[in-house]
Amino acid sequence: MKSKLLFSIVIFAVCSAFTITNNPSQDLIGTWKIDEGSINGVTRSIISFTQKTNPDLADQLEGQEEGMKQMVRSLIINYKADNTYEIQTPQGPQTGKWHLENNNTYLVATRDGKPDRKDSVLEISSTRLKLINRERGDTTLYIRP
């Protein structure tokens, strides 16, 4: 009986040693793009958000919705290990710094000349990143390109 208990404890210890721990910061590092299922929602959300600050521009964007969707599809975000990020946009790259806070429930982006953006993290893994953009109020799924 003692040998079975000892054997069980040893097996449990060995299996526990190989358990992979989830490290959200490491999972975030690398290149991401917006999942096709989020394109329409992100596009509509950008237009709605622009409506509040620049109604004339929002009207122009609405008239070019298909072009806006293409632009959203082309966005590529690269989160780097040094806690900087770069977004490739048709207008050129945008850079800043990032960090996770509050036990990985928020992804905070620091941007030049703008207030920090604090997105709620719904899911983060090596293949999926799902965020609520609290500025615009939309939910976006990112995947690896």
Side-chain angles (χ1 to χ4, degrees):
M1 180 69 165
K2 287 183 182 179
S3 63
K4 287 182 181 180
L5 180 60
L6 180 61
F7 180 74
S8 296
I9 292 171
V10 169
I11 293 297
F12 177 77
V14 169
C15 290
S16 296
F18 295 104
T19 302
I20 298 172
T21 58
N22 185 19
N23 184 344
S25 290
Q26 284 301 111
D27 287 341
L28 186 62
I29 295 170
T31 304
W32 297 91
K33 71 175 189 169
I34 298 174
D35 181 69
E36 188 62 33
S38 292
I39 298 295
N40 290 340
V42 170
T43 302
R44 291 299 319 149
S45 184
I46 290 170
I47 293 170
S48 294
F49 184 75
T50 305
Q51 185 70 40
K52 296 172 189 172
T53 57
N54 191 338
D56 292 336
L57 178 58
D59 290 342
Q60 289 176 4
L61 296 177
E62 256 181 1
Q64 301 171 5
E65 191 168 341
E66 285 307 312
M68 281 290 299
K69 288 178 186 177
Q70 283 304 109
M71 191 259 327
V72 170
R73 275 186 191 93
S74 72
L75 297 175
I76 301 290
I77 303 171
N78 186 14
Y79 292 101
K80 300 177 185 180
D82 65 357
N83 286 85
T84 62
Y85 69 86
E86 182 174 279
I87 304 173
Q88 293 298 325
T89 73
Q91 296 79 25
Q94 297 176 8
T95 60
K97 295 184 179 189
W98 68 270
H99 70 273
L100 292 168
E101 67 179 36
N102 197 20
N103 200 24
N104 305 315
T105 57
Y106 297 106
L107 173 60
V108 180
T110 303
R111 309 168 289 182
D112 288 338
K114 295 182 179 179
D116 287 357
R117 187 170 120 190
K118 191 174 186 178
D119 293 343
S120 297
V121 177
L122 297 178
E123 178 182 350
I124 186 168
S125 71
S126 61
T127 59
R128 291 170 50 100
L129 174 63
K130 194 171 192 177
L131 304 173
I132 298 174
N133 181 313
R134 293 173 56 183
E135 283 182 344
R136 296 188 315 252
D138 65 330
T139 300
T140 306
L141 174 63
Y142 297 86
I143 58 171
R144 301 289 184 174

